[in-house]
Structure formats: structure tokens, C-alpha cells
Amino acid sequence: MKKVFITGATDGLGFMAAEKLIEKGHQVILHARNNAKGEIVLQKLPNAKAVVIGDLSSISQTYEIAEAVNQLGTMDSVIHNAGVGFQEPYQETEDALPYVFAINSLAPYILTCLINKPKRLIYTSSGMHQQGDAELKDLFWKVKKWNAAQAYSDTKLQNILLAFAISKRWPDVFCNVVSPGWVATKMGGPHAPDDLEKATETQVWLSSSEEKEAKISGNFLYHKRPKSYLLAANDIQLQNRFMDYCESLTNIKLPNG
């Protein structure tokens, strides 16, 4: 039995992964943005171990999420699933950060640094990362004209940079990043072409399986298989720049491996 924490577990792929892991007998800690959503998801998944409440767009609330998770003990696996999509209008958080960046990119960094180190980490990217800005220019969108699809693509590349950096810095953790495909969730829309049933199989497998093939690190996976990705993500200097940037925004440093 594994103890698994999943961000963004109230609907979509996070909910589906939670449901499958609970069915397999694992202890699942859910995350919800607010109390109302937390109550609803517990009604739907009454066998979940707990639900942790907090808005990932807020640095202070993300701190609180990490603290609440740690109070429940050390996780075997953390699935960083929460994210917002590629049609978001420009808006800033209470910390004066772009909303998409705060949730998709910065929150996984903060939680990784603050949650007790698990045995397995799974991050969520997208095929759209291929269009991401590999030079990490103007992450606050203060100069460029807002482009929601480009901003989303940037964050999905940043998820890969984070996962690859962690896999090097924490060699004792199985750390990977997943593309679930373009599927018919609230984010993906009703006409998305990929297989919804397969969209969470890799996250569930990586977080819970004892198969040798699941105990891997530093991979970008789609449907449990390696998938091609933007080669710039292999650049260690670029990975370190992203990590340093997140540290400068939060004053939180990744613990040594």
C-alpha cells in the first residue's frame, strides 16, 4: 500500500488518478482549492485518507498545503497534477505573479521543496511544451503581449526542467514527468482526440507499481513509454536557471539530496 498525495484532485485527471489508486487499496490524500470543493470531492471519494485545502496560486497557501501534507506523514508518492489551461486571460495573483505561472510552475517547485521528500515524484507536462520558451525570457509577461497558449506552453516546458533538475539533485527519488495527452477534460475540451482512459495510467503506475520498469527517473513519458521532448530541456544550465529563478521568487531552496 502506498500513501499518495495528488494536487488538483477535485476533477479531471487528478480525480481520475485518485479514484484508481483508491480502488487499488492505496491511501490517497487529495488536494482541493477551497473547503467547498474539498467537501464535494470527499463525498465522491469517501475512502480517501484526507483532503488538504489551499489555493496554489498563493505562495502563502501553498506553504500551508505543504505543512498540512507533512502533518499526515511522509508520502510514498506525490503527483503534481494541478494546472490551468491554455485559454486563461492574463491575471495576476496576490503575489503579483502571472496566474498560469504561479499554479503550473511555481507551486510544484514550492511543494517539492517543502513536502517531506517522497520516494516518487510525478510532474505533469503536455505536448505543447514543444512550443515553450527555452530561453526563459520575460516570465512575468511584462514586455510581451499576452498569449495564453504560449504562456501555457512555457509552463509545461518548465515542468520538464523542474522534473529533470530534481532527478539529478535527488538521485534516491524516482522522479519523472508525464504527458497525459490531449484528452476530453474540462481543460482539454469535449473534442480532444486522445484516449481519456489512458490519460492517468502512467501517473498511477509510476506512483504505485512495484514493477522494475516503473522504478525509473529522469524520463518524459506518455502512456508508460518514453516520449520525445524538446531537447533544450536536457540543458543543465537551463534547468539550474529555472530552479534559481523559483528560489529567488520564494526564498525557498531545494533541500540537498
Side-chain angles (χ1 to χ4, degrees):
M1 180 191 299
K2 297 290 189 294
K3 187 184 289 187
V4 184
F5 173 57
I6 306 174
T7 66
T10 58
D11 57 19
L13 299 184
F15 180 89
M16 290 174 60
E19 188 173 40
K20 290 179 180 179
L21 285 163
I22 291 169
E23 288 174 355
K24 290 176 178 289
H26 300 290
Q27 294 184 347
V28 178
I29 292 86
L30 311 169
H31 159 254
R33 187 168 71 247
N34 54 48
N35 287 320
K37 287 182 176 292
E39 290 174 5
I40 291 170
V41 75
L42 278 180
Q43 290 172 4
K44 293 178 179 178
L45 297 174
N47 292 323
K49 181 175 176 62
V51 61
V52 172
I53 306 299
D55 187 340
L56 291 169
S57 72
S58 162
I59 291 176
S60 63
Q61 289 193 45
T62 305
Y63 271 70
E64 293 169 2
I65 291 168
E67 290 175 359
V69 172
N70 289 338
Q71 288 175 4
L72 295 168
T74 298
M75 300 297 112
D76 292 294
S77 305
V78 175
I79 300 175
H80 292 280
N81 164 80
V84 290
F86 48 84
Q87 297 177 329
E88 294 288 326
Y90 181 80
Q91 54 183 316
E92 289 188 355
T93 70
E94 63 185 35
D95 304 298
L97 300 172
Y99 185 71
V100 174
F101 171 79
I103 294 177
N104 290 8
S105 297
L106 191 61
Y109 171 84
I110 295 171
L111 293 177
T112 301
C113 292
L114 296 182
I115 290 176
N116 296 335
K117 187 197 293 185
K119 297 179 179 68
R120 308 180 190 206
L121 282 165
I122 300 96
Y123 299 89
T124 306
S125 184
S126 161
M128 287 181 69
H129 84 274
Q130 294 275 3
Q131 287 75 53
D133 173 18
E135 296 184 11
L136 301 181
K137 289 182 179 177
D138 193 19
L139 295 187
F140 280 13
W141 289 85
K142 296 297 186 183
V143 176
K144 298 181 291 188
K145 182 179 179 181
W146 177 248
N147 181 317
Q150 183 62 56
Y152 176 81
S153 298
D154 291 352
T155 64
K156 294 295 100 179
L157 175 58
Q158 291 155 20
N159 293 146
I160 301 177
L161 294 174
L162 175 60
F164 285 5
I166 300 298
S167 70
K168 294 180 178 66
R169 298 184 187 199
W170 285 355
D172 56 334
V173 175
F174 299 123
C175 176
N176 299 281
V177 58
V178 171
S179 172
W182 182 11
V183 292
T185 60
K186 182 172 64 178
M187 183 187 298
H191 305 298
D194 281 351
D195 188 337
L196 183 59
E197 284 302 310
K198 290 185 177 181
T200 58
E201 67 177 9
T202 310
Q203 298 92 307
V204 170
W205 178 66
L206 288 172
S207 64
S208 63
S209 176
E210 288 301 319
E211 295 176 11
K212 180 179 68 174
E213 291 80 5
K215 295 180 176 181
I216 54 178
S217 199
N219 291 272
F220 180 72
L221 301 171
Y222 169 75
H223 294 176
K224 298 167 68 172
R225 296 181 179 276
K227 177 79 171 174
S228 61
Y229 56 88
L230 193 67
L231 292 180
N234 291 327
D235 186 333
I236 294 174
Q237 290 185 338
L238 189 64
Q239 295 168 16
N240 291 340
R241 278 180 57 204
F242 178 70
M243 297 290 284
D244 291 345
Y245 188 73
C246 291
E247 182 181 342
S248 72
L249 291 174
T250 60
N251 292 318
I252 304 170
K253 186 176 180 64
L254 184 77
N256 293 330

